[in-house]
Amino acid sequence: MSGYVIFNIKITNPENYKEYIEKVKPVAEKFGAEYIVRGGEFELIEGNWEHPRTIVIKFPSYEKAQEWYNSEEYKPIKKIRLDNAISNGIIIKGE
């Protein structure tokens, strides 16, 4: 069963956030990641969507998604995001 990482993000410092965008994908791909959605236009159809940027990343397994998120390789890159954006994130099992 695949694992998905879903982030809903509001970038607070666009200039510094560019470094995150440049560095995150190659590290995620080492863990088998495939980016399904990386920003883009959207239409809110129900409820509240807190932040304007949505990211969906597919991993080979739920465990692989967790391994990436908790990895030493991602740790310094995650800090860039946390310092320059407000975000909500989940790791979820899917098909």
Side-chain angles (χ1 to χ4, degrees):
M1 185 171 283
S2 297
Y4 293 83
V5 176
I6 303 171
F7 285 110
N8 187 226
I9 300 171
K10 177 182 178 183
I11 300 169
T12 55
N13 187 337
E15 195 57 39
N16 289 351
Y17 191 81
K18 288 177 186 177
E19 182 181 7
Y20 178 78
I21 292 172
E22 291 170 7
K23 292 183 175 183
V24 67
K25 190 175 178 187
V27 172
E29 287 174 341
K30 288 181 182 179
F31 291 83
E34 174 189 352
Y35 278 78
I36 306 298
V37 175
R38 199 171 189 193
E41 184 179 333
F42 69 92
E43 175 187 354
L44 178 63
I45 56 171
E46 289 185 28
N48 298 311
W49 205 249
E50 193 170 348
H51 306 306
R53 184 172 172 80
T54 300
I55 310 299
V56 179
I57 312 167
K58 180 180 179 181
F59 286 85
S61 68
Y62 181 75
E63 294 76 19
K64 206 62 161 169
Q66 291 173 312
E67 185 182 333
W68 165 74
Y69 185 79
N70 295 306
S71 72
E72 289 301 314
E73 288 176 274
Y74 181 56
K75 193 176 198 176
I77 299 167
K78 178 174 38 177
K79 182 168 178 10
I80 297 167
R81 179 177 49 78
L82 295 174
D83 288 348
N84 295 288
I86 299 166
S87 55
N88 296 315
I90 63 169
I91 298 174
I92 188 168
K93 290 182 181 179
E95 294 185 28

